[in-house]
């Protein structure tokens, strides 16, 4: 995948370089095409991902039907740190498959959900777990479905993501990030 992406990037750079010799309008069209192709290669592949993209509605449904702890990656396709973290996030999702659920939320496509989640910086990782209300607790607590265990803004490496999951969900040691 990395070799294919590198070849794709080189081909797009060559196309973009030749576009500068064309008229300004043609150059803009080819640059847009290059950006779309690169974005598609990074985010819209046909392979099944361990960390799939979700819509706001799908995320809301996940927050009511719990089976595993949930990590949400709020990202944008134009965000450099998001692009750098994407393979690291996917690798962490693969390593913790069956223990933790990982999803990605495109903040440009899901602006309303991003606002509701108070996403102010990219990438943002949200670590959510099922809320277990106390038997004798207030009725309004019994309605809550999720609890935010942690929130991190900025790109992380796979090992840091795994360590944070172990800390927030499995009583592991607090990571030094």
């Amino acid at each position: 995948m990395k070799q294919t992406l590198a070849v794709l990037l080189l081909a797009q750079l060559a196309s973009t370089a030749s576009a500068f010799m064309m008229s300004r309008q043609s150059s803009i069209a080819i640059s847009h095409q290059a950006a779309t192709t690169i974005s598609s290669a990074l985010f819209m592949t046909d392979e099944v991902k361990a960390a799939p993209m979700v819509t706001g509605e799908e995320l809301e449904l996940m927050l009511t039907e719990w089976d595993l702890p949930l990590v949400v990656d709020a990202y944008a396709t134009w965000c450099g740190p998001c692009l750098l973290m994407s393979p690291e996030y996917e690798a962490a999702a693969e390593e913790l498959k069956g223990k933790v659920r990982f999803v990605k939320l495109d903040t440009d496509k899901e602006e309303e959900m991003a606002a509701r989640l108070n996403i102010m910086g990219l990438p943002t990782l949200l670590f959510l777990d099922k809320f277990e209300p106390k038997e004798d607790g207030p009725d309004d607590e019994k309605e809550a479905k999720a609890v935010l265990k942690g929130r991190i803004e900025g790109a992380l490496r796979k090992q840091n993501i795994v360590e944070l999951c172990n800390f927030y969900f499995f009583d592991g040691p607090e990571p030094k990030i």
Side-chain angles (χ1 to χ4, degrees), residues 5 48 113 127:
L5 184 58
V48 176
M113 179 57 77
F127 296 84

Side-chain angles (χ1 to χ4, degrees), residues 1-11 37-38 41-42:
M1 172 91 180
K2 287 183 181 179
Q3 289 177 336
T4 305
L5 184 58
V7 169
L8 218 154
L9 288 170
L10 288 174
T37 303
I38 291 168
L42 292 173

Side-chain angles (χ1 to χ4, degrees), residues 96-111:
L96 294 174
K97 197 174 211 168
K99 296 179 184 175
V100 178
R101 189 173 191 177
F102 286 76
V103 297
K104 296 177 72 67
L105 181 75
D106 186 336
T107 57
D108 286 334
K109 291 181 181 176
E110 302 295 333
E111 291 180 21

Side-chain angles (χ1 to χ4, degrees), residues 7 14-15 22-23 38 45 52 62 65 83 86 91 97 103 109 111 136 164 176:
V7 169
S15 293
M22 297 178 174
S23 72
I38 291 168
T45 61
M62 286 178 196
E65 298 176 359
L83 297 174
S86 185
K97 197 174 211 168
V103 297
K109 291 181 181 176
E111 291 180 21
D136 58 345
L164 285 165
K176 294 176 179 144

Side-chain angles (χ1 to χ4, degrees), residues 6-75:
V7 169
L8 218 154
L9 288 170
L10 288 174
Q12 292 304 323
L13 286 172
S15 293
T16 304
S18 66
F20 286 116
M21 293 182 218
M22 297 178 174
S23 72
R24 182 179 224 170
Q25 188 175 24
S26 296
S27 177
I28 291 170
I30 290 176
S31 295
H32 175 71
Q33 178 186 9
T36 303
T37 303
I38 291 168
S39 176
S40 295
L42 292 173
F43 295 104
M44 311 256 181
T45 61
D46 289 338
E47 66 185 78
V48 176
K49 298 257 186 190
M53 288 183 281
V54 295
T55 64
E57 293 82 25
E58 291 169 332
L59 183 57
E60 280 199 51
L61 185 61
M62 286 178 196
L63 295 176
T64 61
E65 298 176 359
W66 285 90
D67 54 346
L68 298 171
L70 179 66
V71 180
V72 179
D73 173 18
Y75 76 98

